[in-house]
């Protein structure tokens, strides 16, 4: 019984770490978009505003989703542990 409750807490930690990772990617979204839009061997190029927004906001939403998911999993795991 004890190992199954610990596994659910491990899942919470994994979701929390994925949320942090997604937020780090979202904060650096502009530089990542510029890196991915650069053609090989190009001296100058342009990166669209929508691509920069996509590399910024989508990972931030995914990170927020993982934080919410981690809190839900933690709450359910905590309630199960308290009942037992």
């Amino acid at each position: 019984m004890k190992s199954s409750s610990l596994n659910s807490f491990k899942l919470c930690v994994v979701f929390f770490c994925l949320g942090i990772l997604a937020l780090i990617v979202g904060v650096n979204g502009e530089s990542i978009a510029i890196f991915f839009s650069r053609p090989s061997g190009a001296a100058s190029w342009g990166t669209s505003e929508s691509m920069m927004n996509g590399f910024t906001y989508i990972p931030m939403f995914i990170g927020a989703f993982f934080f919410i998911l981690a809190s839900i999993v933690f709450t359910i795991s905590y309630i199960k542990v308290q009942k037992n």
Side-chain angles (χ1 to χ4, degrees):
M1 183 65 184
K2 194 172 192 176
S3 91
S4 68
S5 65
L6 287 178
N7 284 338
S8 58
F9 283 118
K10 288 178 188 175
L11 185 63
C12 173
V13 171
V14 167
F15 286 149
F16 184 77
C17 291
L18 285 173
I20 289 174
L21 182 66
L23 286 179
I24 289 171
V25 169
V27 168
N28 297 320
E30 271 189 39
S31 60
I32 294 172
I34 291 170
F35 176 76
F36 280 118
S37 70
R38 180 180 185 203
S40 60
S44 65
W45 70 97
T47 304
S48 68
E49 182 82 20
S50 61
M51 186 172 185
M52 287 186 200
N53 287 341
F55 273 87
T56 301
Y57 294 122
I58 292 174
M60 285 189 168
F61 288 135
I62 292 172
F65 171 75
F66 277 126
F67 280 141
I68 292 168
L69 194 60
S71 65
I72 290 170
V73 169
F74 177 79
T75 303
I76 292 171
S77 301
Y78 184 73
I79 289 171
K80 279 185 176 180
V81 168
Q82 289 299 318
K83 282 186 178 181
N84 294 329

